[in-house]
Amino acid sequence: MKVVHVAVGVILRRQQVFITLRDASLHQGGKWEFPGGKVEAGETVTQALIRELQEEVDIQVNTSQPFMLVEHDYGDKQVKLDIHLVMDFIGEPHGREGQQGRWVALQSLPDYGFPEANKAIVEKLLSEPRFSL
């Protein structure tokens, strides 16, 4: 089975993170996620992250830092998520492709339904001392 390599941006501002709602027609549709998208052939993860966040949420990433790697098998699809923290960006993120997006408090992340592969990201964010109040 082919593994889909995805660049994911955890967009942070103070004690909040920006999340988007997956379109119901997509794999894991109707669930909240951290924005991002497929790493294309010949692209680095950073290049893919910059491109995808511009396309999806209309921000310009100045810098990002690697946060974690998640590999997950959904049975019908395998994903490799390259997750980066994005705290230095220009613009106000919004659902540029018509998807719902919102800033939420870090501590409220467990209240949102995320795809299984994203749950490890939520857990790590909540356990990181640098993000606690």
Side-chain angles (χ1 to χ4, degrees):
M1 188 181 307
K2 185 180 167 212
V3 176
V4 180
H5 190 190
V6 180
V8 176
V10 176
I11 305 167
L12 295 162
R13 181 170 67 194
R14 295 180 290 284
Q15 294 299 314
Q16 293 188 312
V17 61
F18 190 79
I19 59 174
T20 56
L21 189 62
R22 288 186 65 76
D23 186 273
S25 67
L26 299 175
H27 184 263
Q28 296 292 303
K31 295 187 178 182
W32 291 91
E33 68 177 350
F34 301 98
K38 290 182 190 137
V39 178
E40 302 294 344
E43 244 181 352
T44 67
V45 172
T46 302
Q47 288 168 332
L49 182 71
I50 289 168
R51 178 183 52 75
E52 286 286 348
L53 294 184
Q54 175 70 50
E55 291 172 4
E56 276 192 31
V57 296
D58 203 18
I59 63 169
Q60 178 185 323
V61 176
N62 290 330
T63 58
S64 67
Q65 65 184 74
F67 184 56
M68 67 188 295
L69 185 68
V70 173
E71 294 182 89
H72 187 81
D73 186 346
Y74 282 106
D76 60 337
K77 180 186 270 193
Q78 290 183 324
V79 294
K80 176 181 172 182
L81 307 180
D82 246 308
I83 299 108
H84 284 234
L85 298 178
V86 178
M87 294 179 272
D88 182 12
F89 58 91
I90 296 170
E92 180 59 29
H94 63 277
R96 187 176 186 183
E97 298 170 326
Q99 75 278 36
Q100 214 182 121
R102 65 175 62 150
W103 286 104
V104 299
L106 280 168
Q107 65 269 21
S108 73
L109 283 174
D111 300 338
Y112 292 84
F114 283 90
E116 212 46 52
N118 281 234
K119 292 181 179 176
I121 305 168
V122 171
E123 288 171 15
K124 185 169 181 185
L125 283 168
L126 294 176
S127 69
E128 287 269 321
R130 64 182 157 163
F131 300 127
S132 61
L133 294 173

